[in-house]
Amino acid sequence: MSTNINKPSLPVSKPLTLGLFGFGVVGKGLYDVLQSTPALQASIKKICIKTPDKKRAISQNHFTTSSEELLNDDSINVIVELIDDADAAYEIVKAALKKGKAVVSANKKMIAAHFEELLQLQHEYKTAFLYEGSCCASIPIIRNLEEYYDNDLLTSVKGIVNGSTNYILTKIFENDLSFKDALLQAQQLGFAESDPSLDIEGHDAANKLTILLAHAFGNIATPNDFIYNGITSIKKTDTILAHEKHLKIKLVATAQKINNNQLAAFVLPQFVEANDELSNVSNEFNGLITESSFADKHFFKGKGAGAYPTAAAVLSDISALRYDYKYEYKKYLQPNKLTLTNDYFLKIFVSADDLEKINKDDFEWIEEWHNEASNNWVIGIIHATKLQENDWWKQTGVSLILHQNPIVNNVEYKKIGKRSLQLAGVI
Ligand code: HSE
């Protein structure tokens, strides 16, 4: 056997000196993870924190409260932003990119709110801004959407993108825990946001859907552009009904191509059948299903919240920076992108403690109608604009849960119109 083969040598990697903002659940997680990966040759030079008096696991001389100390230090070539204040995070990221430093962040709220400007800054200052940890924590979805699905024609990306709400729903369904106790556990385990209403009201999942829309379809949107809600309105009677029908309820984010040039997007609780991949995504796990013309279907599952799963994604971004990796946003830059629309029909279940709270006139078609003293529900077809424009379905005592196959064929229901309601004697 010949031993004279010229082996390729490893590409030369850049040494990375990090300035870390934030030492909360994920910041501390990253610190620990970096201690276990010396081969990465990335070291934290300084950590900027807000509250200096807090007792911390490592020596005080690692910390400063001056953001300038990190931003003005030329030896720091990477800023890692892991704080929970989206506005402050935006200022830090902007300043760092303007100084030509690469930035890694996991701040989905900040990214969703400033997507276009952040794109512009990366382009103008030719710096990398990576944020794999901002969406589904340990699932490498952004990198896959950027690289693997580059030439493939994606038709849909949907799944469970918030770990806390999935944890709560799992505990309610499988352990009969109360919503309050399950949320408390999610907070204690470090899954929830500092302000947990971001999780339970669906804002966090909506922010993540905007990130998915950008990388999957090149579509820059804000959560206000699509319908979303969280899980706070789901009632005991809804979960009992789901059990009876052998279904689970999951908070599902969906981006789906609905015709040649349009895209539907929403985040809503949804009934999920036992044979759906998402049915077995439990606790803080997230799960994503991509569908595309040639590859067909892929299913990604991984821990979607918590110190180490999120730190793992941040670490992967830091590692990619050693070889100057940048997102290219090819789908955003290409012409003829799909347009986000609310012109589609959804099959929904709506329950209410008082029948009067359900706006029957908004439905195109009512398939089932159940009327009891304190448990009234309707299954029917509604146009998405009715949900976007009206908020009767967000009142206390009303819950809206999507059918297991929520998007229905536009044309069919446009033809039928309101006739079914009249025939059923509802209007
Ligand atoms: N609060 C978030 C969640 C953290 O529960 O998914 C991870 O983004």
Side-chain angles (χ1 to χ4, degrees), residues 26 106 108 132-140 160-167 190-193 199 204 208 281-288 300-311 313:
V26 184
K108 51 264 159 147
E132 189 64 70
S134 69
C135 194
C136 302
S138 72
I139 303 178
I160 296 166
V161 299
N162 180 271
S164 302
T165 46
N166 202 43
Y167 184 87
F191 304 150
E193 300 297 300
D199 295 297
D204 182 76
K208 289 168 179 165
V281 177
S282 305
N283 295 315
E284 77 274 30
F285 276 83
N286 284 183
L288 276 169
F300 298 83
K301 179 177 169 182
K303 287 195 171 172
Y308 293 142
T310 314

Side-chain angles (χ1 to χ4, degrees), residues 53-66:
D53 307 329
K54 227 187 235 175
K55 203 169 156 21
R56 295 177 206 273
I58 58 172
S59 148
Q60 278 302 332
N61 55 26
H62 287 90
F63 299 103
T64 175
T65 52
S66 158

Side-chain angles (χ1 to χ4, degrees), residues 14 16 102-104 122 126-132 140-148 215 316-330:
K14 246 178 27 185
L16 302 174
V103 178
V104 176
Q122 290 169 72
K126 302 195 173 14
T127 44
F129 177 47
L130 305 181
Y131 41 84
E132 189 64 70
I141 189 62
I142 300 178
R143 205 90 65 83
N144 269 294
L145 290 173
E146 278 283 300
E147 307 301 327
Y148 182 84
H215 290 277
S316 164
D317 282 347
I318 294 171
S319 173
L321 287 173
R322 289 186 303 162
Y323 304 102
D324 286 322
Y325 178 74
K326 289 188 181 73
Y327 300 142
E328 290 182 30
Y329 301 98
K330 288 194 273 291

Side-chain angles (χ1 to χ4, degrees), residues 117-396:
E117 198 175 346
L118 290 165
L119 275 175
Q120 189 54 39
L121 285 166
Q122 290 169 72
H123 178 68
E124 195 177 333
Y125 293 92
K126 302 195 173 14
T127 44
F129 177 47
L130 305 181
Y131 41 84
E132 189 64 70
S134 69
C135 194
C136 302
S138 72
I139 303 178
I141 189 62
I142 300 178
R143 205 90 65 83
N144 269 294
L145 290 173
E146 278 283 300
E147 307 301 327
Y148 182 84
Y149 297 101
D150 182 22
N151 295 314
D152 200 355
L153 300 171
L154 275 170
T155 51
S156 97
V157 178
K158 67 164 188 177
I160 296 166
V161 299
N162 180 271
S164 302
T165 46
N166 202 43
Y167 184 87
I168 295 168
L169 290 172
T170 306
K171 293 295 165 196
I172 291 176
F173 260 78
E174 287 167 24
N175 303 77
D176 211 19
L177 231 62
S178 70
F179 187 100
K180 206 171 136 222
D181 289 345
L183 170 60
L184 191 67
Q185 284 188 6
Q187 289 178 286
Q188 285 165 344
L189 291 164
F191 304 150
E193 300 297 300
S194 316
D195 170 4
S197 65
L198 291 171
D199 295 297
I200 60 176
E201 291 174 5
H203 307 291
D204 182 76
N207 288 331
K208 289 168 179 165
L209 182 58
T210 65
I211 296 171
L212 292 174
L213 281 168
H215 290 277
F217 299 102
N219 214 289
I220 308 294
T222 74
N224 292 332
D225 297 326
F226 51 80
I227 307 160
Y228 75 92
N229 203 8
I231 61 164
T232 49
S233 59
I234 295 171
K235 298 190 285 296
K236 184 81 190 164
T237 47
D238 303 327
T239 60
I240 292 171
L241 193 78
H243 266 301
E244 282 170 10
K245 292 185 183 263
H246 308 290
L247 300 168
K248 287 184 186 167
I249 301 172
K250 299 285 184 187
L251 184 66
V252 181
T254 299
Q256 188 171 320
K257 188 175 171 183
I258 52 171
N259 53 39
N260 279 342
N261 49 21
Q262 289 185 309
L263 190 63
F266 46 86
V267 178
L268 289 167
Q270 182 174 326
F271 288 115
V272 172
E273 283 170 342
N275 64 2
D276 188 317
E277 284 88 351
L278 298 182
S279 179
N280 294 322
V281 177
S282 305
N283 295 315
E284 77 274 30
F285 276 83
N286 284 183
L288 276 169
I289 299 164
T290 59
E291 288 188 52
S292 53
S293 307
F294 308 120
D296 204 345
K297 198 167 174 179
H298 289 142
F299 174 50
F300 298 83
K301 179 177 169 182
K303 287 195 171 172
Y308 293 142
T310 314
V314 174
L315 185 79
S316 164
D317 282 347
I318 294 171
S319 173
L321 287 173
R322 289 186 303 162
Y323 304 102
D324 286 322
Y325 178 74
K326 289 188 181 73
Y327 300 142
E328 290 182 30
Y329 301 98
K330 288 194 273 291
K331 290 168 203 151
Y332 167 70
L333 297 171
Q334 83 195 0
N336 308 324
K337 285 187 289 287
L338 302 177
T339 319
L340 201 60
T341 181
N342 282 313
D343 187 13
Y344 59 93
F345 292 91
L346 285 171
K347 186 165 181 178
I348 60 172
F349 162 95
V350 186
S351 70
D353 50 6
D354 176 356
L355 190 60
E356 290 306 309
K357 290 184 179 173
I358 303 176
N359 189 349
K360 302 174 283 290
D361 287 349
D362 273 357
F363 283 81
E364 300 294 325
W365 175 269
I366 291 202
E367 193 173 285
E368 271 183 72
W369 181 266
H370 183 90
N371 197 352
E372 256 175 37
S374 59
N375 184 24
N376 308 281
W377 50 263
V378 167
I379 296 176
I381 307 290
I382 199 161
H383 195 265
T385 50
K386 300 280 185 194
L387 298 178
Q388 182 74 331
E389 286 163 9
N390 305 330
D391 55 11
W392 55 264
W393 58 281
K394 290 188 174 171
Q395 292 174 87
T396 315

